[in-house]
Amino acid sequence: NQTAAVIGAGIGGIATAIRLAVKGYPVTVFEANTYPGGKLSAFEEKGYRFDAGPSLFTMPQLVEELFILAGEDPREHFTYERLPDICHYFWDDGTWLTASANPDQFAQEVEQTLGEPAAHVRNFLQHSAFQYDITEQLFLKDSLHKASTWLSRKALRGYLNFPRLGVLGTMNQANEQRFQQTKVVQLFNRYATYNGSDPYQTPALLNMIPHLEYNIGAYFPKKGMVSITESLIALAERKGVQFRYQSKVERIQVRDGKAVGVVVQGQEIPCSIVVSNMDITPTYRKLLPTEKAPERTLQQPRSGSGLIFYWGVRREFAELGVHNIFFSNDYKAEFEHQFQYKTIYYDPTVYLHISSKIKKDDAPAGGENWFVLINAPANEGQDWDTIIAQTRQAILAKVSRSLGVDIEPFIESESILDPRSIELRTSSYQGALYGTSSNNRFAAFLRHPNFSSRIKNLYFVGGSVHPGGGIPLCLFSARIVAGMVPETSS
Ligand code: FAD
């Protein structure tokens, strides 16, 4: 009797459940919260709707793929649109730039506004595409922990192109070589934050990230980011997956070197395979306390976390778009504060996402739903209440200065998420948004594989394991896991 238990209904867990159900497994997903989605969830406050976590959506085909796999037409269940602008950038000296989604137009804008030759931007984006293309097969689509991956033709292409991939220098070094203008370096260095890393440490290989937005496209789901979770939950249910909420898994049962069940509220539920979508560190520490843990892997430094203010703002701002950035005057100092001093710099870069710009019913008429995120260090017991109070004032001052309007009087609702509450709500170790950091060139190899080499029938999916955090990579991890799970005999 082959059955699968999935621990956690984060995006990685839901996608795995769909894939296993399609493979013929009866699947039960155990979720600790009362709601699905983990970080990818939503809430409402005083008429404003907020997506609680992710706001940047790339590679929608990875979501669509799940519907197609299940024999359904994705357009009937999940719709999205391509954003005409990638981001509105603001600097304290009054410079601003709207980054068009059209790469040629964007390159022209950079030349006109920031004085960087358009050809430099075009060459960068071409190189970004090259880096992505070479690494996708090796790093994202397959397990790094199977010999077959390293012996493939794609791998050979990777070896031949190794010197051009940007594994040895840092992202900032590569961008300083490529661009003359510090604002352009800063604009592209920012992409390190897409997986919670530091551009002054992370390898230049991560310059492949802008390719996803500029060459493939930045998107937004018509019903909000949470509709990714909602539409996939509905799909999973149509495929027979059972979701059990408020069902925290306490143990993974192991007998004779095999995972044989999970324990929920003291009761053992037998199954033939277990997939943990819980962060890898608490999976070992809490669910497998008597098994030998891979200490070196678990001790890798965490990616950055976030401090998020959800503000219902009773006013509209024509100069703002769906995604906005107000840059710090000293980017290097900002990352030093985040990763070395483990605190938040007094002049932080502010990311402001306003979904009501595109999805009008997300805010009452005349208002905007502001999701304001500051990169924060992972939780190591800092004095968060003081940091939050200081950072709130810094954000208000910075954004008010840029927009020429005192923002605070227009805020009519406020909720806050910080590294502590992220950890509490999703069990992410230290509240990291993207599992372990990519701040060293071996990070990809030090992430935990998608299977256990000691315990048979035990698999791992989601942002804390290979290939890493963020929605697209979590969806890749589900694909890799499903590829490893044996076929059902039925
Ligand atoms: P998680 O979302 O971590 O969920 C894990 C689930 O498992 C939770 O529901 C938890 O309750 C459950 N669980 C844990 N332990 C147990 C247990 N013992 N028993 C039962 N259930 C358990 N990504 C992007 O692509 N774009 C973005 O713009 C972006 N921005 C972000 C902004 C914020 C504020 C945050 C928080 C994250 C952001 N991310 C972004 C990252 C992205 O949200 C995550 O990488 C991704 O959603 C993680 O999915 P996951 O599958 O690892 O599961």
Side-chain angles (χ1 to χ4, degrees), residues 370-431:
W370 283 27
F371 166 106
V372 182
L373 178 142
I374 304 293
N375 295 314
N379 179 26
E380 295 183 20
Q382 294 91 329
D383 176 3
W384 285 110
D385 292 339
T386 304
I387 294 176
I388 291 169
Q390 286 167 349
T391 306
R392 185 178 189 277
Q393 289 314 314
I395 298 169
L396 287 170
K398 193 174 183 72
V399 176
S400 299
R401 246 189 344 262
S402 273
L403 298 179
V405 178
D406 183 10
I407 301 298
E408 192 160 23
F410 295 102
I411 299 176
E412 61 176 356
S413 76
E414 176 175 79
S415 286
I416 299 173
L417 187 68
D418 64 53
R420 293 168 304 188
S421 38
I422 294 171
E423 182 162 18
L424 260 177
R425 284 187 200 175
T426 61
S427 292
S428 298
Y429 183 52
Q430 295 182 338

Side-chain angles (χ1 to χ4, degrees), residues 7-12 30-33 37-39 52-56 247-249 277-278 308 373 425-428 433-434 462-463 469-472 474:
I7 305 167
I11 185 72
F30 298 91
E31 168 54 54
N33 290 328
K39 300 183 182 82
S55 53
L56 299 151
S247 298
K248 188 174 190 159
V249 172
N277 181 213
M278 187 189 202
I308 302 101
L373 178 142
R425 284 187 200 175
T426 61
S427 292
S428 298
L433 302 190
Y434 302 96
I471 299 167
C474 291

Side-chain angles (χ1 to χ4, degrees), residues 254 256-260 272 274 452-459:
V254 179
D256 303 327
K258 279 190 200 154
V260 294
S272 53
V274 175
S452 165
S453 50
R454 291 175 169 270
I455 303 167
K456 225 172 154 261
N457 302 336
L458 176 59
Y459 301 88

Side-chain angles (χ1 to χ4, degrees), residues 108-126:
Q108 287 303 332
E109 282 162 2
V110 171
E111 181 165 310
Q112 275 154 27
T113 312
L114 305 179
E116 183 78 40
H120 291 183
V121 176
R122 280 194 218 101
N123 290 345
F124 174 89
L125 292 177
Q126 263 171 25

Side-chain angles (χ1 to χ4, degrees), residues 142-147 149-150 444-451 466:
D142 287 309
S143 173
L144 287 183
H145 308 86
K146 300 271 181 198
T149 306
W150 298 102
F445 306 98
L446 295 171
R447 247 179 226 117
H448 199 286
N450 302 102
F451 60 97
H466 178 73

